Amino acid sequence: MSVAEKLIALDPLALRADFPILAERIHSKPLAYLDNAATAQKPQAVIDAVTEYYTHMNANVHRGVHQLSERATAAYEGAREKLARFVNAASPREVVFTRGTTEAINLVAQSFVRPKLKPGDEVLVSTMEHHSNIVPWQLVCEQTGAKLVAAPINERGELLLDEFEKLINERTRFIGIVHVSNALGTVNPVRKIIDMAHARGIAVLVDGAQAVPHARVDVQVLDADFYALSGHKMYAPTGIGALIAKAEHLEAMPPWQGGGEMIRMVRFDRSIWNDIPHKFEAGTPNIAGAAGLGAAIDYLEAVGMDRIAAYEAELLDWATRRLEQVAGLRIVGTARDKAGVISFMLDGVHPHDIGTIVDTHGVAIRTGHHCAMPVMEFFNVPATARASIAFYNTREDIERLAAALEDCRRMLA
Amino acid sequence: MDLKDLYQDLIVDHNRRPRNFRRMPDANRVAEGFNPLCGDKLTLYLKLDGGTISDVSFEGSGCAISVASASLLTERLKGATVEEAEALFADMIPLLTGKLPENAPREHFRKLAALEGVKEYPSRVKCASLSWHTLEAALKNAGQPVTTE
């Protein structure tokens, strides 16, 4: 049965069979994996692509004239073309491979933004950013004397768009905004924000780490100057991700890291940089990771991003209503437009204890500050418990979480 | 691995009703502890009378393990000598990490022995050890807050 046929049959159970780790037993119980916002599990096709690469293709890219190097280069550049098509970048030249979202944001901070900043200038982000879309800007502000400004959110965990717009002023040099919040699940109106910014001549970076796995993303429709993503959250290996950037920006930016691969010619008096995107890929890249990412994209396209979005929206809605029935449970982050994430508190039980107790039921969730300490501060909680879903999750996974939470209450509340 | 070894009745009870949970305005040693991973925060107050801990209390918020650990610590150390507290600290960390030799004496732990269950849960050891590291800071009177990282 093809992947597409499985989904027509609306059978997430059949898709689960593509993910070998979901058959693991945890403390002698079946695994209910609800920590997908931390990292998604890998289908056999991705695992096979990595094995296939090391078994039949391993060589360095863009170097040798020998057959293996040709194969490795084809796998690596093939993945770039697939990713460009997947997010509708104007060209594969606009896809820079990085270790992940974090490295992509740091690249933009140092190479695009830093040369533009003067003391008193401002970089604008939101309160709901992941630390990876806060700290790189703090570093660049420290280096230049610029100021980092955070736009407020409301009690539902939604961005206050009017307030955001008011914070854009003649000192604003750059805007970073998360597409989908990893701590709250909020989907931000990034297209509107980009329009506001472009009307004032300001470029925008979108942190898309939590968006790309859940819905179709079109960087040209968004008109994003920079769009950062991580492979491992979209069913690909860890250590591979990308910065999708407009070619005009990449052409104008100085290299970030120096080394092999990113140069055309090196002399001691001066060197000439390679073309984009290679100018930003110093050193031997994560070729196996890229091959895995290519396989993950093939898999996601076969399942269909629209079908994934529809299934997950329905499951998120059902899970929200089901968990609200658990006595003492309060959801943190109730935005009208949400994806993938339910963050919550349970009366009388600290999130850390929830994590340990539900684990003994075979249920994997995340507990802590989710690398979003300002969000925790806003909601005045030390930490939350977070269930995050993927298309291979079912109502049964949620039922098992709910039962495990009842156990938490019995034991500790 | 049985959850009951971790969340023993004694620990659940000390979490629900922490002992010596109060600010101590006339403390002569105060230290703060912080576990950035889970947001646990506590302040430990000591009143030292010569070489004796005449009073000890704590405030803060945290998971059941960290609250119970701090509560049990205060109960155990009230009236103890500083020397005894230092010796207990030296033994508590091996107890919590499973590194205490089989034949090592254990009587001096008294109720603190209930915390030994965390050794099976590596991610929770820091919860149980936070109050003890904070105690060490208070005894050394180091001004810096301690963290588990």
Side-chain angles (χ1 to χ4, degrees):
Chain A
M1 188 162 55
S2 77
V3 171
E5 284 167 335
K6 287 175 193 173
L7 247 220
I8 287 163
L10 281 173
D11 190 359
L13 288 180
L15 287 168
R16 285 175 79 88
D18 296 334
F19 293 78
I21 206 167
L22 297 179
E24 282 292 300
R25 296 186 77 80
I26 304 296
H27 307 302
S28 321
K29 305 204 175 60
L31 167 64
Y33 187 77
L34 292 168
D35 195 16
N36 295 285
T39 196
Q41 298 302 348
K42 319 306 173 197
Q44 189 65 50
V46 168
I47 298 167
D48 287 348
V50 174
T51 305
E52 175 82 2
Y53 170 75
Y54 281 121
T55 311
H56 299 294
M57 297 175 215
N58 182 49
N60 215 323
V61 289
H62 308 133
R63 308 275 203 285
V65 292
H66 59 77
Q67 176 65 38
L68 287 182
S69 182
E70 300 283 4
R71 288 183 196 168
T73 304
Y76 185 67
E77 292 304 324
R80 194 192 307 277
E81 283 166 26
K82 282 176 189 176
L83 182 55
R85 199 177 57 234
F86 188 64
V87 297
N88 196 31
S91 146
R93 294 168 64 238
E94 301 197 331
V95 176
V96 177
F97 280 130
T98 63
R99 280 189 294 136
T101 304
T102 298
E103 192 175 59
I105 298 173
N106 278 278
L107 193 169
V108 175
Q110 291 300 321
S111 180
F112 183 81
V113 179
R114 186 177 178 179
K116 292 181 173 30
L117 289 183
K118 288 189 281 298
D121 286 348
E122 293 178 2
V123 174
L124 177 61
V125 297
S126 82
T127 301
M128 73 175 92
E129 301 305 320
H130 186 281
H131 295 165
S132 63
N133 205 22
I134 298 173
V135 183
W137 308 118
Q138 279 176 332
L139 289 172
V140 85
C141 285
E142 267 174 33
Q143 287 156 347
T144 58
K147 190 175 141 202
L148 181 61
V149 178
I153 57 176
N154 65 19
E155 289 294 328
R156 305 173 74 111
E158 294 165 326
L159 193 65
L160 296 168
L161 207 55
D162 291 350
E163 299 297 317
F164 193 95
E165 186 158 27
K166 280 184 213 155
L167 288 170
I168 306 176
N169 58 45
E170 69 285 353
R171 294 181 299 278
T172 310
R173 291 291 166 269
F174 196 76
I175 292 172
I177 185 74
V178 68
H179 198 165
V180 175
S181 156
N182 74 307
L184 302 167
T186 308
V187 180
N188 280 318
V190 288
R191 175 62 211 257
K192 278 186 191 158
I193 290 166
I194 290 169
D195 284 349
M196 279 178 195
H198 286 178
R200 296 159 175 85
I202 301 164
V204 179
L205 175 138
V206 180
D207 166 2
Q210 299 291 347
V212 173
H214 299 296
R216 187 176 299 283
V217 168
D218 185 322
V219 293
Q220 293 192 72
V221 167
L222 292 177
D223 200 21
D225 298 279
F226 301 97
Y227 197 95
L229 57 88
S230 291
H232 73 98
K233 295 195 198 286
M234 52 187 287
Y235 312 95
T238 53
I240 186 79
L243 173 69
I244 319 294
K246 287 182 178 172
E248 65 199 74
H249 295 321
L250 291 178
E251 296 281 13
M253 287 157 64
W256 181 42
Q257 294 175 327
E261 177 78 15
M262 53 76 68
I263 44 79
R264 171 152 313 125
M265 185 207 72
V266 173
R267 280 167 45 181
F268 280 108
D269 56 347
R270 76 189 175 101
S271 298
I272 299 173
W273 315 136
N274 203 337
D275 294 333
I276 64 164
H278 310 289
K279 182 169 84 173
F280 297 100
E281 294 179 3
T284 297
N286 183 356
I287 310 165
L293 177 59
I297 291 169
D298 288 343
Y299 185 88
L300 287 172
E301 286 186 330
V303 177
M305 289 312 296
D306 294 336
R307 281 187 280 201
I308 288 172
Y311 175 78
E312 288 183 357
E314 192 268 330
L315 182 61
L316 182 69
D317 194 43
W318 190 87
T320 301
R321 280 182 278 121
R322 177 66 189 87
L323 292 179
E324 277 171 348
Q325 289 167 19
V326 175
L329 188 141
R330 176 172 67 90
I331 292 178
V332 178
T334 49
R336 278 153 285 200
D337 195 2
K338 270 184 77 168
V341 167
I342 301 176
S343 244
F344 60 91
M345 306 294 288
L346 196 57
D347 251 5
V349 190
H350 190 280
H352 217 168
D353 296 310
I354 297 175
T356 296
I357 296 169
V358 304
D359 175 62
T360 63
H361 290 254
V363 179
I365 60 167
R366 169 84 190 264
T367 60
H369 53 62
H370 317 295
C371 298
M373 283 180 166
V375 173
M376 302 296 116
E377 207 177 314
F378 175 81
F379 286 100
N380 197 23
V381 293
T384 72
R386 179 189 72 186
S388 53
I389 59 168
F391 58 82
Y392 46 60
N393 288 123
T394 60
R395 291 183 180 188
E396 195 199 329
D397 292 332
I398 306 298
E399 283 293 357
R400 291 187 46 212
L401 170 62
L405 292 174
E406 303 283 2
D407 196 34
C408 293
R409 293 269 298 170
R410 267 194 301 277
M411 283 184 71
L412 293 181
Chain B
M1 197 149 81
D2 187 349
L3 211 49
K4 274 281 157 202
D5 293 337
L6 183 63
Y7 295 107
Q8 296 187 19
D9 291 346
L10 185 72
I11 287 174
V12 171
D13 178 55
H14 274 257
N15 175 48
R16 283 194 184 128
R17 299 184 303 119
R19 319 299 199 264
N20 305 303
F21 190 79
R22 58 185 155 83
R23 220 168 77 81
M24 195 193 296
D26 57 341
N28 50 22
R29 296 289 175 90
V30 180
E32 283 174 37
F34 180 46
N35 181 347
L37 188 73
C38 47
D40 289 356
K41 255 183 205 160
L42 68 88
T43 307
L44 193 70
Y45 303 93
L46 295 178
K47 198 188 291 174
L48 295 188
D49 225 335
T52 305
I53 300 171
S54 62
D55 199 7
V56 46
S57 68
F58 79 107
E59 274 187 317
S61 69
C63 66
I65 305 299
S66 74
V67 170
S69 175
S71 173
L72 286 161
L73 175 150
T74 61
E75 211 182 52
R76 176 70 182 76
L77 290 184
K78 201 180 270 193
T81 64
V82 170
E83 210 174 318
E84 205 181 334
E86 290 281 11
L88 261 175
F89 171 74
D91 283 352
M92 274 309 286
I93 304 306
L95 178 79
L96 301 176
T97 52
K99 289 185 181 132
L100 195 71
E102 279 288 307
N103 54 0
R106 286 162 190 264
E107 299 76 32
H108 61 310
F109 289 125
R110 301 187 205 159
K111 286 184 193 169
L112 296 172
L115 291 163
E116 190 175 3
V118 299
K119 70 184 185 191
E120 301 294 336
Y121 300 82
S123 64
R124 304 305 302 276
V125 168
K126 286 175 179 173
C127 311
S129 63
L130 178 63
S131 55
W132 288 91
H133 286 296
T134 311
L135 168 75
E136 181 67 357
L139 289 175
K140 294 221 161 19
N141 211 6
Q144 293 292 316
V146 298
T147 95
T148 56
E149 296 306 304

